[in-house]
Amino acid sequence: MKWRVDVAVQTPAHSALGDVLSYVSGVEVTPGALVRVPLGRREVLGVAWTVQAADADDPPSLALKPVTAVLDALAPLGESWRDLVAFAARYYQRSLGEIALAALPPQLRDLTAVQLARRLKRRSAVPPPDVEDAAPAALALSVEQAEALARLDAETGPFLLFGSTGSGKTEVYLRAVATLLQRDPDAQALVMVPEINLTPQLEARFRERFEGRFGAGAVVSLHSGMTHPQRLASWLAAHGGTARIVLGTRMAVFASMPGLRLIVVDEEHDPSYKQQEGARYSARDLAIWRGHREKAKVILGSATPSLESWYQSRPAQAEDAGGRYTRLSMPSRIGTGALPAVRLVDMNLQPPKTVLSGALLDAIGQRIARGEQSLVFLNRRGYAPVLACADCGWKSECPHCSAYRVFHKIDRTLRCHHCGFTERVPRACPACGNLDIAPVGRGTERLEEHLGELFAAVRRPDGSAIRIARIDADSTRRQGALESQLAAVHAGEVDVLVGTQMIAKGHDFRRVTLVCAIHPDGALFSSDFRAPERLFSLLMQSAGRAGRDAAYVSAQGATGEMWIQTHHPQHPLFAALRRHDYEAFARRELEDRAAAGMPPFAFQALLRADARTQEAAQAFLNAANRAADALEGADRVTRYPAVPLAIQRVANVERAQMLIESSSRAALQRLLAAWQPLLHDLRRAPEGKGVIRWLVDVDPHSI
Ligand code: ADP
Ligand code: ZN
Ligand code: ZN
């Protein structure tokens, strides 16, 4: 007796090989089992997808290569997991094998059946932990928290937990998880957060809450900052059911969890849930799909929900049956009750070239004098975005990209933030030899320096020197640097913290009473229709860092403040922000989007081509466009002309894209699916000459 096994393996991107490859096995293989199979000259890991008895003399199966090994020490991946992978592959236009293998821990690829069996044995040899009840003294829930929890328990969802910054959403997640785990000894919960490194606090809170009650291995993490052995260990614990809680970033949405009953997506609006390379999936959207498939409850939480989720949670009204999500609101802040006051500084009234207005400097000075902290937020790292020659007009362009190289003063380099090309800063203008080349504009590094000069003479209440620190991708590159810098802020060693959006998100800084955004205007007039949404949520999140602790607010006679320096103080976005009125902002944005027929009222995809020349990239897209004309249902989908990307050239590759849009998600999906084979063919046709790669981005985040 023989079996024909169709196996999902990682085939090269865009290869013409089908979704699964067929092999033959002399033993029966369970679908979902991990197998090792020959592929070309290599032997690779794969997932058995479908298995059928094959006639031993059947000529087609005689020609198949045999499965090399079945990793049967591991329970096969469940049907619901395979369904999730298949759905993601279909929806995001990727191959099954690519998604399946990317969803497995990388180390699994290198283990033989024997090594894996040994690892699993070692794991199960670990003695069960002492289960003693070390639950911390219970907080009394706020009325809003209690109400949200009651509805989470009673209704099916999916839920949008719309709670202000500091309203205690995390406590709601913790309780919802606790209730579930206590009720059902096999239940597992998946808790996703945008960037786990930014919130070591959250991980600590989960461990503290659950390890005492459910054992030391009850909480595992899953994110890209872990080593391969750590990731494998977490994954095995989730798959084996010993981990009751998986805390992870977007990749965790694919964790195999046989007892999954609850999925939390914290800060669901965060752009990092959308994968930006390879399979461009949205972990938030997949969480909703997965919850539905596995009958697990899904909680999306945010103070500034994505407009998609907000719209999906609209209440029923007159003709409209309402959205599919249940909206739960927690408008009040725990503790101080008050959200910070938002103050706008009209930069038109400031002397030209003002970086920090006098009033803002005074306000920061007062915080220092009271022993409180300030956050200064500027979304641009480096010293200056451009270096320029005043004589001949030379600018620090990257030779490989259509972008300027950023001046980093610390190591005196010009660095391209797109391709990484780095050079020492030239002594003189490379074009005319002028010695007087100067930085233009400013980034966090220069701002830090500037603040240092301005406050050089200022002392703390105890007479000691003040400390200004910076947190951005540059200052945190070294392993452990971010943790130690955050710890210094929490310990009160830092008076003024300068940083990029890394400091705006999630942190529960207790002593911060002032937050300011120095230069947020760029996003107001961006060509990307999601830019205002992102700016609003970033500013709300930033404001949410201020005045979180009554001890540092009312006791000092001050409230938390959010300062915004802008040239457009009349902009309606700021008016809504001043009132902390996300709902007003969302209403206005949704009206605009409805009028313009944009998401969430339409569904989009991008077809992108990268090529040696812009002409070649666009020619491919135009040919693809013509090819799509013949497809059934093409008339229900709008295809826009090919255009260069905003940053047209990166690392000497020219990039172009074409927007595809439809009011029907199904129509868009059908077109994309039918288009896929034509695109593969085109790539090999004359129209594909010079094309390096192409890709489809479904529900793209930025256009
Ligand atoms: P969010 O996630 O909504 O921004 P957090 O969950 O971080 O808010 O809560 C803000 C602060 O309030 C945290 O320090 C948390 O420990 C505290 N907190 C939450 N719920 C309560 C409660 N019921 N009573 C007292 N403090 C609470
Ligand atoms: Zn010059
Ligand atoms: Zn470059």
Side-chain angles (χ1 to χ4, degrees):
M1 186 70 183
K2 287 199 172 180
W3 282 267
R4 191 185 123 135
V5 188
D6 291 336
V7 180
V9 291
Q10 190 162 36
T11 49
H14 300 312
S15 80
L17 297 173
D19 255 3
V20 288
L21 300 181
S22 300
Y23 294 88
V24 64
S25 169
V27 291
E28 190 171 1
V29 181
T30 318
L34 291 178
V35 292
R36 299 195 64 87
V37 292
L39 178 68
R41 291 182 184 182
R42 295 176 304 142
E43 186 194 290
V44 298
L45 179 72
V47 182
W49 219 259
T50 46
V51 181
Q52 55 202 133
D55 191 342
D57 315 318
D58 171 29
S61 16
L62 281 177
L64 295 175
K65 290 188 180 163
V67 169
T68 319
V70 182
L71 307 186
D72 49 11
L74 197 71
L77 291 151
E79 193 178 352
S80 56
W81 184 88
R82 281 176 283 138
D83 283 353
L84 173 70
V85 165
F87 169 76
R90 212 163 53 234
Y91 189 81
Y92 294 105
Q93 306 287 317
R94 309 298 295 198
S95 79
L96 199 61
E98 181 189 4
I99 305 262
L101 272 292
L104 297 174
Q107 211 184 11
L108 217 41
R109 288 176 213 175
D110 310 325
L111 296 182
T112 64
V114 177
Q115 286 167 324
L116 182 64
R118 210 179 291 142
R119 270 201 81 115
L120 284 163
K121 205 144 137 213
R122 208 166 53 221
R123 283 186 46 77
S124 54
V126 175
D130 299 341
V131 182
E132 68 183 65
D133 202 348
L139 291 170
L141 291 175
S142 72
V143 174
E144 289 171 2
Q145 285 173 323
E147 201 167 303
L149 280 163
R151 291 191 58 189
L152 285 169
D153 199 37
E155 300 173 34
T156 51
F159 300 93
L160 176 68
L161 181 60
F162 171 52
S164 304
T165 51
S167 61
K169 293 186 289 296
T170 313
E171 187 63 32
V172 171
Y173 308 147
L174 288 162
R175 301 277 178 127
V177 170
T179 308
L180 170 80
L181 299 194
Q182 257 151 3
R183 200 177 283 162
D184 174 354
D186 295 324
Q188 294 177 296
L190 169 62
V191 179
M192 288 197 284
V193 293
E195 279 148 286
I196 221 158
N197 304 328
L198 289 186
T199 45
Q201 267 181 326
L202 184 76
E203 205 175 332
R205 270 172 89 181
F206 270 86
R207 289 191 189 284
E208 178 194 40
R209 189 69 66 94
F210 294 111
E211 288 194 334
R213 240 182 290 174
F214 299 107
V219 182
V220 300
S221 301
L222 213 47
H223 57 86
S224 57
M226 298 163 65
T227 64
H228 284 183
Q230 286 169 335
R231 249 169 92 177
L232 179 63
S234 291
W235 188 88
L236 290 174
H239 179 64
T242 50
R244 307 291 306 278
I245 299 165
V246 174
L247 199 57
T249 51
R250 63 170 176 259
M251 65 158 70
V253 77
F254 288 112
S256 164
M257 299 175 69
L260 184 67
R261 294 287 170 278
L262 174 67
I263 308 178
V264 173
V265 185
D266 188 26
E267 309 290 5
E268 66 87 31
H269 63 278
D270 198 285
S272 74
Y273 284 119
K274 176 86 160 124
Q275 166 88 346
Q276 291 296 359
E277 54 197 38
R280 298 179 167 227
Y281 65 87
S282 158
R284 176 195 64 215
D285 296 349
L286 287 180
I288 294 284
W289 194 91
R290 187 172 185 183
H292 183 73
R293 167 68 180 78
E294 303 195 31
K295 299 196 173 52
K297 281 193 186 177
V298 180
I299 310 175
L300 310 180
S302 178
T304 52
S306 62
L307 287 172
E308 281 80 1
S309 299
W310 184 248
Y311 182 66
Q312 268 313 336
S313 69
R314 71 195 182 281
Q317 237 180 11
E319 321 248 288
D320 177 7
R324 290 180 298 125
Y325 304 170
T326 306
R327 188 185 295 171
L328 307 173
S329 299
M330 300 203 302
S332 316
R333 213 175 204 198
I334 301 259
T336 66
L339 286 161
V342 176
R343 311 192 46 163
L344 297 175
V345 180
D346 185 348
M347 294 307 276
N348 300 302
L349 306 178
Q350 301 291 320
K353 300 204 166 172
T354 300
V355 179
L356 298 155
S357 63
L360 174 60
L361 289 174
D362 281 351
I364 295 176
Q366 286 166 21
R367 296 309 188 288
I368 297 174
R370 290 203 296 259
E372 297 166 9
Q373 296 172 317
S374 303
L375 298 187
V376 184
F377 166 65
L378 175 65
N379 226 359
R380 188 191 276 159
R381 66 194 169 85
Y383 189 82
V386 190
L387 201 62
C389 167
D391 263 14
C392 76
W394 173 86
K395 285 181 175 162
S396 55
E397 271 165 15
C398 175
H400 310 297
C401 305
S402 42
Y404 294 116
R405 278 175 298 164
V406 175
F407 173 38
H408 290 257
K409 193 174 174 187
I410 285 184
D411 54 2
R412 300 209 60 83
T413 55
L414 287 178
R415 265 189 251 161
C416 176
H417 288 185
H418 301 282
C419 73
F421 181 65
T422 303
E423 277 182 333
R424 300 269 310 156
V425 171
R427 220 173 270 284
C429 170
C432 75
N434 173 23
L435 287 174
D436 188 20
I437 45 176
V440 180
R442 74 194 55 245
T444 45
E445 218 184 277
R446 192 175 192 183
L447 190 60
E448 180 191 16
E449 180 186 277
H450 188 56
L451 281 160
E453 287 160 8
L454 290 169
F455 290 106
V458 177
R459 290 283 170 270
R460 288 183 177 165
D462 66 2
S464 61
I466 70 159
R467 181 163 155 201
I468 295 169
R470 170 169 57 92
I471 291 186
D472 57 26
D474 297 317
S475 78
T476 55
R477 199 149 290 163
R478 198 170 41 77
Q479 179 85 22
L482 177 63
E483 289 78 0
S484 64
Q485 285 167 358
L486 287 174
V489 179
H490 285 295
E493 291 161 21
V494 171
D495 301 275
V496 181
L497 178 65
V498 177
T500 54
Q501 55 184 333
M502 286 176 83
I503 62 172
K505 294 181 181 178
H507 309 286
D508 195 14
F509 293 130
R510 308 310 296 176
R511 298 166 205 248
V512 169
T513 57
L514 183 146
V515 175
C516 56
I518 297 303
H519 187 65
D521 286 352
L524 292 176
F525 305 100
S526 163
S527 62
D528 185 343
F529 73 91
R530 280 198 181 82
E533 176 182 351
R534 277 199 292 268
L535 177 63
F536 188 85
S537 82
L538 198 56
L539 293 176
M540 277 284 258
Q541 293 293 329
S542 311
R545 298 317 110 211
R548 291 173 77 85
D549 194 332
Y552 289 94
V553 183
S554 46
Q556 315 283 355
T559 59
E561 288 180 3
M562 166 88 199
W563 288 59
I564 295 166
Q565 299 195 142
T566 174
H567 283 97
H568 306 277
Q570 308 307 332
H571 198 286
L573 186 148
F574 294 131
L577 190 73
R578 281 186 91 146
R579 299 192 309 268
H580 301 282
D581 196 349
Y582 168 83
E583 299 195 35
F585 170 77
R587 196 177 315 120
R588 196 173 156 269
E589 279 293 304
L590 283 177
E591 277 165 18
D592 286 356
R593 301 246 190 122
M598 282 191 289
F601 305 97
F603 301 91
Q604 299 180 325
L606 288 174
L607 175 62
R608 189 173 119 191
D610 292 356
R612 286 287 160 228
T613 64
Q614 184 63 219
E615 293 70 38
Q618 295 199 15
F620 176 80
L621 297 179
N622 291 331
N625 199 350
R626 287 191 299 274
D629 282 336
L631 296 175
E632 204 184 311
D635 54 327
R636 296 193 58 197
V637 179
T638 310
R639 283 162 280 138
Y640 291 89
V643 291
L645 261 68
I647 295 173
Q648 179 173 331
R649 188 168 51 103
V650 167
N652 295 318
V653 171
E654 288 282 340
R655 310 167 331 149
Q657 68 183 19
M658 187 169 119
L659 178 64
I660 308 140
E661 195 175 72
S662 176
S663 58
S664 154
R665 196 195 289 271
L668 179 64
Q669 279 287 322
R670 267 197 303 277
L671 181 92
L672 292 176
W675 212 5
Q676 188 87 358
L678 305 185
L679 294 171
H680 282 291
D681 291 346
L682 258 185
R683 170 81 165 79
R684 288 185 294 267
E687 290 89 338
K689 201 164 176 292
V691 172
I692 298 164
R693 64 184 88 86
W694 60 271
L695 60 93
V696 174
D697 187 349
V698 182
D699 304 328
H701 252 229
S702 42
I703 302 194

